[in-house]
Amino acid sequence: MSAGAVDARSVASTVTDPELPLLTLADLGILRDVRVEDGTVVVEVTPTYSGCPAMGVMRADLVLALHRAGFAAVDVRTVLSPAWSTDWISNEGRRKLAAAGIAPPGAAPARAPGPVPLQLGAVRRTAACPRCGSPDTVEQSEFGATACTALRRCRSCLEPFEHVKEI
Amino acid sequence: MAHEETVYDALTNAHDDAGHWAFGTGFDDPLAGVDTTVPDGVDPADLGVYCLMLGDDALVLAQRLTEWMTNAPELEEEVAFGNIALDLLGQARLLLARAGSTGVLGRSRTLATGSIPDEDALAYFRDADEFRNTALVEAPNGDFAQTMIRLLVATTVRLAVFARLRGSRDPVLAAIAAKGVHELTYHRDHAARWVLRLGDGTAESSRRARAGAAAVWPLTAELFTATDVEARLTTLGVAVDPVDVRDEVRGVLTTVLERATLTVPAWPAETPPRGRQGVHGPELADLLATLQGLARQHPAATW
């Protein structure tokens, strides 16, 4: 990898998610590749959810950051496959989430080919309280303020918190 | 171009004169950088129409769910409908962009929209008879129970189709489906758990759930008959013949309704596809008037 590509990667790695600005795109695992092709910085990103409204802003932020670092030609490309999984959130990203009071995701459910089994019972996701550490927490709402979070409440300290749901 | 001073400048300046689409968000082509070559032996026109079918289902259902905003019985469910609608809208954007990449726009008779991205042109400037969604998704919401039962049926069908499309010979469609399966699993199971609560809840919630099922079931009549486009693309390994998901869909729905202590209504006699051929009720025109009105009256609007 050329020095230019290393520099470009370090610049792209500092760009943050507009909805979770504590996390960089690298922490989130959506920055898939940064390389230089014929003098153009090619950045590959993958959306979290199909409808993630932050993608356009992320693309613009990447272009802006690389322009400011002196890279005139920037091409931000989307990759759809393989689909993003919360398993790609880095350990550093998980630490930052917990420090910000957001419970990081557990392991994503296993994916198998064929029909997807119906789950009618109570949702068995678990998450320790990011404030007091208690494992005794309950889901309040399967959907939260952003596509990637659910709402939970701690039964020990009684505080509500967001949880990045596993996909 | 001078370096932009703010992110917002970048949003509006980075995309040439089409920067105001989609509506000032700067959300440019969701398939930017994706190889959209049509696989060998596949008619691009067929692939485009098939992507419209799947995309229009998602776009129209998202619009129906959005009607619950400020109207849902509790805040959590409003947030849930909003999130589900957003996921579906995202799927619609990808599928309409995929349709656009096959050149489907050039065959549409109402479009003379210049620099507007394909996905926006397809969403905002087609008339009702050019939409390929099924009747199931365009029917009015009804009450909360009926909305939830329609959501259960629609997501069950879509999940079954998408699970199979993960193996499509069109790599773009396969990737869109693989991503969508994760989302649709969450949607379907959410709707299923609500149907359990309603059906096996109070006398009033159970009454409404029964009425909702009675209203939604007839809309399944056209769901499992392939159009010629679907039949041809299934032979080529690109599409899914909807008849292949019928038993699975009926099995899932029967399981949920029985667990909810609801009687499973009789399955309607199957009919030829109508919505997939562009034949719709007046409900779709009403829905599109809301969805498309602003874009048509103020094509350069930004905010």
Side-chain angles (χ1 to χ4, degrees):
Chain A
M1 187 182 284
S2 70
V6 173
D7 290 346
R9 174 177 289 275
S10 67
V11 172
S13 296
T14 64
V15 174
T16 55
D17 176 355
E19 288 193 335
L20 293 168
L22 53 146
L23 296 186
T24 66
L25 304 190
D27 290 333
L28 259 178
I30 68 171
L31 189 65
R32 305 309 296 164
D33 193 29
V34 182
R35 59 182 185 272
V36 177
E37 286 180 5
D38 300 330
T40 296
V41 179
V42 176
V43 183
E44 290 189 347
V45 289
T46 194
T48 52
Y49 284 74
S50 298
C52 177
M55 276 307 286
V57 178
M58 291 180 194
R59 296 170 62 89
D61 283 352
L62 280 165
V63 172
L64 182 61
L66 287 159
H67 279 177
R68 282 186 170 157
F71 296 95
V74 179
D75 184 5
V76 182
R77 297 180 187 168
T78 305
V79 287
L80 295 178
S81 182
W84 180 77
S85 162
T86 43
D87 287 350
W88 294 356
I89 298 176
S90 68
N91 288 334
E92 175 67 5
R94 289 162 196 271
R95 191 194 60 71
K96 289 179 184 171
L97 281 169
I102 302 171
R111 305 289 175 189
V116 182
L118 186 65
Q119 190 183 338
L120 288 176
V123 181
R124 283 190 289 274
R125 281 185 291 276
T126 58
C129 174
R131 294 177 201 279
C132 75
S134 168
D136 186 16
T137 67
V138 60
E139 187 165 81
Q140 298 286 90
S141 173
E142 291 178 88
F143 295 88
T146 68
C148 54
T149 56
L151 296 178
R152 298 184 75 87
R153 190 174 61 85
C154 177
R155 286 200 277 224
S156 294
C157 72
L158 305 182
E159 288 293 326
F161 62 91
E162 286 185 289
H163 172 221
V164 176
K165 58 199 180 194
E166 299 83 8
I167 71 162
Chain B
M1 190 194 307
H3 295 175
E4 292 85 356
E5 285 308 305
T6 73
V7 168
Y8 303 102
D9 290 340
L11 276 172
T12 50
N13 292 339
H15 312 291
D16 304 318
D17 57 347
H20 53 278
W21 293 89
F23 291 108
T25 58
F27 292 2
D28 52 4
D29 181 6
L31 294 180
V34 174
D35 182 355
T36 54
T37 309
V38 174
D40 282 347
V42 176
D43 180 354
D46 278 357
L47 180 59
V49 168
Y50 186 60
C51 290
L52 289 181
M53 293 176 184
L54 299 174
D56 289 346
D57 277 351
L59 178 62
V60 171
L61 183 55
Q63 183 70 11
R64 282 291 180 222
L65 292 173
T66 305
E67 292 172 9
W68 278 102
M69 298 304 97
T70 75
N71 294 313
E74 48 186 42
L75 182 59
E76 286 80 0
E77 283 320 297
E78 188 155 303
V79 171
F81 282 148
N83 270 281
I84 293 169
L86 182 62
D87 287 343
L88 290 170
L89 196 59
Q91 294 174 16
R93 291 192 62 203
L94 291 165
L95 287 159
L96 294 188
R98 179 56 174 143
S101 74
T102 68
V104 73
L105 212 47
R107 289 180 293 280
S108 183
R109 59 183 163 72
T110 60
L111 297 169
T113 44
S115 63
I116 298 171
D118 290 351
E119 52 163 319
D120 288 323
L122 290 166
Y124 295 123
F125 294 93
R126 278 181 302 153
D127 293 334
D129 63 356
E130 293 169 294
F131 274 72
R132 301 285 186 147
N133 59 279
T134 61
L136 175 66
V137 296
E138 79 191 42
N141 283 326
D143 63 12
F144 182 78
Q146 185 175 327
T147 298
M148 208 48 98
I149 286 175
R150 187 252 297 274
L151 183 63
L152 172 67
V153 176
T155 53
T156 299
V157 175
R158 192 169 180 82
L159 177 57
V161 170
F162 271 42
R164 286 162 177 76
L165 278 179
R166 289 179 292 188
S168 172
R169 259 190 67 223
D170 176 26
V172 181
L173 205 45
I176 294 169
K179 200 160 187 55
V181 162
H182 301 181
E183 298 159 2
L184 291 162
T185 301
Y186 209 77
H187 305 165
R188 181 198 61 178
D189 291 358
H190 177 75
R193 284 191 288 268
W194 258 109
V195 172
L196 294 194
R197 290 171 71 178
L198 294 166
D200 198 15
T202 66
E204 176 66 2
S205 72
S206 180
R207 182 188 69 76
R208 287 175 178 263
R210 281 196 307 277
V216 169
W217 246 241
L219 300 173
T220 66
E222 63 167 0
L223 292 181
F224 304 113
T225 308
T227 56
D228 293 346
V229 168
E230 288 167 296
R232 284 195 296 271
L233 289 178
T234 299
T235 306
L236 294 169
V238 170
V240 173
D241 187 325
V243 78
D244 290 342
V245 305
R246 182 177 56 196
D247 289 351
E248 179 187 329
V249 167
R250 288 182 175 177
V252 168
L253 296 176
T254 299
T255 299
V256 175
L257 263 66
E258 286 180 349
R259 280 279 299 276
T261 71
L262 296 166
T263 305
V264 182
W267 297 104
E270 298 199 34
T271 61
R274 288 167 50 85
R276 294 273 188 251
Q277 310 273 22
V279 179
H280 301 283
E283 299 85 358
L284 182 64
D286 290 346
L287 179 147
L288 292 178
T290 305
L291 175 69
Q292 300 175 329
L294 185 76
R296 291 191 179 208
Q297 289 172 38
H298 303 282
T302 61
W303 64 83

Short mmCIF file of all heavy atoms in Angstrom, two decimals, chain B residues 20-57:
data_model
loop_
_atom_site.label_atom_id
_atom_site.label_comp_id
_atom_site.label_asym_id
_atom_site.label_seq_id
_atom_site.Cartn_x
_atom_site.Cartn_y
_atom_site.Cartn_z
N HIS B 20 -30.17 18.73 -5.36
CA HIS B 20 -31.36 18.92 -4.54
C HIS B 20 -32.20 17.66 -4.46
O HIS B 20 -33.13 17.60 -3.67
CB HIS B 20 -32.21 20.07 -5.09
CG HIS B 20 -32.54 19.94 -6.54
ND1 HIS B 20 -31.66 20.32 -7.52
CD2 HIS B 20 -33.65 19.48 -7.15
CE1 HIS B 20 -32.22 20.10 -8.70
NE2 HIS B 20 -33.42 19.58 -8.50
N TRP B 21 -31.88 16.65 -5.25
CA TRP B 21 -32.57 15.38 -5.13
C TRP B 21 -31.81 14.49 -4.19
O TRP B 21 -30.62 14.53 -4.16
CB TRP B 21 -32.75 14.73 -6.51
CG TRP B 21 -33.67 15.54 -7.33
CD1 TRP B 21 -33.34 16.58 -8.17
CD2 TRP B 21 -35.09 15.42 -7.37
NE1 TRP B 21 -34.47 17.10 -8.72
CE2 TRP B 21 -35.55 16.42 -8.26
CE3 TRP B 21 -36.00 14.57 -6.76
CZ2 TRP B 21 -36.91 16.57 -8.52
CZ3 TRP B 21 -37.34 14.73 -7.03
CH2 TRP B 21 -37.78 15.73 -7.91
N ALA B 22 -32.42 13.63 -3.35
CA ALA B 22 -33.84 13.62 -3.11
C ALA B 22 -34.17 14.68 -2.07
O ALA B 22 -33.91 14.52 -0.90
CB ALA B 22 -34.26 12.24 -2.57
N PHE B 23 -34.67 15.75 -2.53
CA PHE B 23 -35.19 16.80 -1.69
C PHE B 23 -34.21 17.36 -0.68
O PHE B 23 -34.47 17.43 0.51
CB PHE B 23 -36.48 16.34 -1.01
CG PHE B 23 -37.58 16.20 -2.00
CD1 PHE B 23 -38.03 14.95 -2.38
CD2 PHE B 23 -38.10 17.31 -2.61
CE1 PHE B 23 -39.00 14.83 -3.35
CE2 PHE B 23 -39.07 17.19 -3.58
CZ PHE B 23 -39.52 15.95 -3.96
N GLY B 24 -33.09 17.80 -1.20
CA GLY B 24 -32.17 18.55 -0.37
C GLY B 24 -31.41 17.72 0.64
O GLY B 24 -30.65 18.24 1.44
N THR B 25 -31.62 16.43 0.61
CA THR B 25 -30.94 15.59 1.57
C THR B 25 -29.54 15.26 1.08
O THR B 25 -28.70 14.86 1.87
CB THR B 25 -31.68 14.25 1.75
OG1 THR B 25 -31.77 13.62 0.48
CG2 THR B 25 -33.07 14.49 2.29
N GLY B 26 -29.30 15.41 -0.23
CA GLY B 26 -28.03 14.98 -0.77
C GLY B 26 -27.87 13.47 -0.77
O GLY B 26 -26.78 12.96 -0.94
N PHE B 27 -28.95 12.77 -0.56
CA PHE B 27 -28.87 11.31 -0.59
C PHE B 27 -28.77 10.89 -2.04
O PHE B 27 -29.76 10.74 -2.73
CB PHE B 27 -30.14 10.69 0.00
CG PHE B 27 -30.33 10.91 1.46
CD1 PHE B 27 -29.42 11.66 2.19
CD2 PHE B 27 -31.42 10.36 2.10
CE1 PHE B 27 -29.59 11.86 3.54
CE2 PHE B 27 -31.60 10.57 3.45
CZ PHE B 27 -30.69 11.32 4.18
N ASP B 28 -27.55 10.76 -2.50
CA ASP B 28 -27.40 10.45 -3.92
C ASP B 28 -27.56 8.95 -4.13
O ASP B 28 -27.98 8.22 -3.25
CB ASP B 28 -26.09 11.00 -4.45
CG ASP B 28 -24.93 10.56 -3.59
OD1 ASP B 28 -25.16 9.78 -2.65
OD2 ASP B 28 -23.81 10.99 -3.86
N ASP B 29 -27.21 8.52 -5.31
CA ASP B 29 -27.43 7.15 -5.76
C ASP B 29 -27.05 6.11 -4.69
O ASP B 29 -25.88 5.98 -4.34
CB ASP B 29 -26.60 6.94 -7.03
CG ASP B 29 -26.76 5.55 -7.60
OD1 ASP B 29 -27.60 4.78 -7.08
OD2 ASP B 29 -26.05 5.24 -8.57
N PRO B 30 -28.03 5.34 -4.21
CA PRO B 30 -27.68 4.34 -3.19
C PRO B 30 -26.87 3.18 -3.76
O PRO B 30 -26.35 2.38 -3.00
CB PRO B 30 -29.06 3.85 -2.69
CG PRO B 30 -30.00 4.15 -3.79
CD PRO B 30 -29.46 5.37 -4.50
N LEU B 31 -26.76 3.10 -5.07
CA LEU B 31 -25.95 2.05 -5.69
C LEU B 31 -24.64 2.62 -6.25
O LEU B 31 -23.98 1.96 -7.08
CB LEU B 31 -26.73 1.35 -6.80
CG LEU B 31 -27.95 0.53 -6.36
CD1 LEU B 31 -28.62 -0.11 -7.59
CD2 LEU B 31 -27.57 -0.55 -5.37
N ALA B 32 -24.24 3.82 -5.78
CA ALA B 32 -23.00 4.43 -6.30
C ALA B 32 -21.84 3.46 -6.13
O ALA B 32 -21.58 2.99 -5.03
CB ALA B 32 -22.72 5.73 -5.55
N GLY B 33 -21.16 3.18 -7.22
CA GLY B 33 -19.99 2.31 -7.14
C GLY B 33 -20.30 0.83 -7.21
O GLY B 33 -19.39 0.00 -7.24
N VAL B 34 -21.58 0.47 -7.22
CA VAL B 34 -21.96 -0.95 -7.31
C VAL B 34 -21.98 -1.35 -8.78
O VAL B 34 -22.47 -0.61 -9.63
CB VAL B 34 -23.34 -1.18 -6.67
CG1 VAL B 34 -23.82 -2.62 -6.89
CG2 VAL B 34 -23.31 -0.85 -5.19
N ASP B 35 -21.44 -2.54 -9.09
CA ASP B 35 -21.46 -3.04 -10.46
C ASP B 35 -22.89 -3.46 -10.80
O ASP B 35 -23.41 -4.42 -10.23
CB ASP B 35 -20.51 -4.23 -10.60
CG ASP B 35 -20.46 -4.78 -12.03
OD1 ASP B 35 -21.23 -4.29 -12.90
OD2 ASP B 35 -19.67 -5.70 -12.27
N THR B 36 -23.53 -2.71 -11.72
CA THR B 36 -24.94 -2.98 -12.04
C THR B 36 -25.10 -3.67 -13.40
O THR B 36 -26.16 -3.60 -14.01
CB THR B 36 -25.77 -1.69 -12.00
OG1 THR B 36 -25.15 -0.72 -12.87
CG2 THR B 36 -25.87 -1.13 -10.60
N THR B 37 -24.03 -4.34 -13.84
CA THR B 37 -24.14 -5.09 -15.09
C THR B 37 -25.26 -6.14 -14.96
O THR B 37 -25.34 -6.83 -13.94
CB THR B 37 -22.80 -5.82 -15.37
OG1 THR B 37 -21.75 -4.88 -15.28
CG2 THR B 37 -22.82 -6.48 -16.74
N VAL B 38 -26.10 -6.22 -15.97
CA VAL B 38 -27.17 -7.23 -15.95
C VAL B 38 -26.56 -8.58 -16.32
O VAL B 38 -25.80 -8.68 -17.28
CB VAL B 38 -28.29 -6.83 -16.94
CG1 VAL B 38 -29.34 -7.93 -17.04
CG2 VAL B 38 -28.92 -5.51 -16.50
N PRO B 39 -26.86 -9.64 -15.55
CA PRO B 39 -26.25 -10.96 -15.83
C PRO B 39 -26.55 -11.45 -17.25
O PRO B 39 -27.59 -11.12 -17.83
CB PRO B 39 -26.92 -11.89 -14.80
CG PRO B 39 -27.42 -11.00 -13.72
CD PRO B 39 -27.75 -9.69 -14.38
N ASP B 40 -25.64 -12.25 -17.77
CA ASP B 40 -25.79 -12.79 -19.12
C ASP B 40 -27.12 -13.52 -19.27
O ASP B 40 -27.54 -14.26 -18.38
CB ASP B 40 -24.66 -13.80 -19.41
CG ASP B 40 -23.36 -13.09 -19.74
OD1 ASP B 40 -23.42 -11.86 -19.98
OD2 ASP B 40 -22.31 -13.76 -19.73
N GLY B 41 -27.76 -13.31 -20.40
CA GLY B 41 -28.98 -14.05 -20.72
C GLY B 41 -30.23 -13.51 -20.08
O GLY B 41 -31.31 -14.06 -20.27
N VAL B 42 -30.09 -12.42 -19.30
CA VAL B 42 -31.25 -11.84 -18.63
C VAL B 42 -31.71 -10.60 -19.39
O VAL B 42 -30.89 -9.73 -19.70
CB VAL B 42 -30.92 -11.47 -17.16
CG1 VAL B 42 -32.10 -10.78 -16.50
CG2 VAL B 42 -30.50 -12.70 -16.39
N ASP B 43 -33.00 -10.53 -19.68
CA ASP B 43 -33.55 -9.36 -20.37
C ASP B 43 -33.60 -8.19 -19.37
O ASP B 43 -34.29 -8.29 -18.35
CB ASP B 43 -34.96 -9.70 -20.87
CG ASP B 43 -35.60 -8.52 -21.61
OD1 ASP B 43 -35.01 -7.42 -21.64
OD2 ASP B 43 -36.71 -8.71 -22.14
N PRO B 44 -32.87 -7.11 -19.66
CA PRO B 44 -32.86 -5.98 -18.71
C PRO B 44 -34.27 -5.44 -18.43
O PRO B 44 -34.56 -5.01 -17.31
CB PRO B 44 -32.01 -4.92 -19.42
CG PRO B 44 -31.19 -5.67 -20.41
CD PRO B 44 -32.00 -6.86 -20.84
N ALA B 45 -35.15 -5.51 -19.44
CA ALA B 45 -36.51 -5.01 -19.23
C ALA B 45 -37.24 -5.84 -18.18
O ALA B 45 -37.92 -5.31 -17.31
CB ALA B 45 -37.27 -5.03 -20.56
N ASP B 46 -37.07 -7.15 -18.25
CA ASP B 46 -37.69 -8.03 -17.25
C ASP B 46 -37.13 -7.73 -15.85
O ASP B 46 -37.88 -7.63 -14.88
CB ASP B 46 -37.45 -9.51 -17.60
CG ASP B 46 -38.43 -10.05 -18.63
OD1 ASP B 46 -39.34 -9.28 -19.04
OD2 ASP B 46 -38.28 -11.21 -19.03
N LEU B 47 -35.83 -7.64 -15.77
CA LEU B 47 -35.21 -7.40 -14.46
C LEU B 47 -35.68 -6.07 -13.88
O LEU B 47 -35.98 -5.96 -12.69
CB LEU B 47 -33.68 -7.42 -14.58
CG LEU B 47 -32.91 -7.20 -13.27
CD1 LEU B 47 -33.26 -8.26 -12.23
CD2 LEU B 47 -31.40 -7.19 -13.53
N GLY B 48 -35.78 -5.06 -14.76
CA GLY B 48 -36.25 -3.75 -14.30
C GLY B 48 -37.66 -3.81 -13.75
O GLY B 48 -37.95 -3.28 -12.67
N VAL B 49 -38.55 -4.49 -14.46
CA VAL B 49 -39.94 -4.59 -14.00
C VAL B 49 -40.01 -5.39 -12.70
O VAL B 49 -40.77 -5.04 -11.78
CB VAL B 49 -40.82 -5.23 -15.10
CG1 VAL B 49 -42.19 -5.61 -14.55
CG2 VAL B 49 -40.97 -4.27 -16.27
N TYR B 50 -39.22 -6.44 -12.58
CA TYR B 50 -39.23 -7.24 -11.36
C TYR B 50 -38.77 -6.40 -10.16
O TYR B 50 -39.35 -6.47 -9.07
CB TYR B 50 -38.35 -8.48 -11.53
CG TYR B 50 -38.43 -9.44 -10.37
CD1 TYR B 50 -39.64 -10.02 -10.01
CD2 TYR B 50 -37.30 -9.76 -9.62
CE1 TYR B 50 -39.73 -10.90 -8.93
CE2 TYR B 50 -37.38 -10.64 -8.55
CZ TYR B 50 -38.59 -11.21 -8.21
OH TYR B 50 -38.68 -12.07 -7.14
N CYS B 51 -37.75 -5.59 -10.37
CA CYS B 51 -37.28 -4.72 -9.28
C CYS B 51 -38.34 -3.68 -8.93
O CYS B 51 -38.48 -3.30 -7.76
CB CYS B 51 -35.96 -4.04 -9.67
SG CYS B 51 -34.57 -5.19 -9.73
N LEU B 52 -39.10 -3.22 -9.91
CA LEU B 52 -40.21 -2.31 -9.61
C LEU B 52 -41.25 -3.01 -8.74
O LEU B 52 -41.79 -2.42 -7.80
CB LEU B 52 -40.87 -1.80 -10.89
CG LEU B 52 -40.08 -0.82 -11.75
CD1 LEU B 52 -40.92 -0.40 -12.96
CD2 LEU B 52 -39.68 0.42 -10.95
N MET B 53 -41.56 -4.25 -9.05
CA MET B 53 -42.56 -4.99 -8.25
C MET B 53 -42.14 -5.01 -6.78
O MET B 53 -42.92 -4.66 -5.89
CB MET B 53 -42.67 -6.44 -8.76
CG MET B 53 -43.27 -6.57 -10.15
SD MET B 53 -43.24 -8.33 -10.66
CE MET B 53 -43.87 -8.18 -12.34
N LEU B 54 -40.90 -5.42 -6.55
CA LEU B 54 -40.43 -5.54 -5.16
C LEU B 54 -40.24 -4.16 -4.52
O LEU B 54 -40.52 -3.98 -3.33
CB LEU B 54 -39.10 -6.31 -5.13
CG LEU B 54 -39.14 -7.74 -5.67
CD1 LEU B 54 -37.73 -8.32 -5.70
CD2 LEU B 54 -40.06 -8.62 -4.82
N GLY B 55 -39.78 -3.22 -5.31
CA GLY B 55 -39.56 -1.87 -4.78
C GLY B 55 -40.87 -1.15 -4.48
O GLY B 55 -41.01 -0.47 -3.45
N ASP B 56 -41.85 -1.29 -5.37
CA ASP B 56 -43.13 -0.61 -5.17
C ASP B 56 -43.87 -1.17 -3.96
O ASP B 56 -44.51 -0.42 -3.22
CB ASP B 56 -44.00 -0.73 -6.43
CG ASP B 56 -43.47 0.13 -7.58
OD1 ASP B 56 -42.62 0.99 -7.33
OD2 ASP B 56 -43.92 -0.08 -8.72
N ASP B 57 -43.79 -2.47 -3.73
CA ASP B 57 -44.39 -3.04 -2.52
C ASP B 57 -43.85 -2.32 -1.28
O ASP B 57 -44.61 -1.95 -0.37
CB ASP B 57 -44.06 -4.54 -2.39
CG ASP B 57 -44.98 -5.44 -3.22
OD1 ASP B 57 -45.99 -4.94 -3.75
OD2 ASP B 57 -44.67 -6.64 -3.32
#
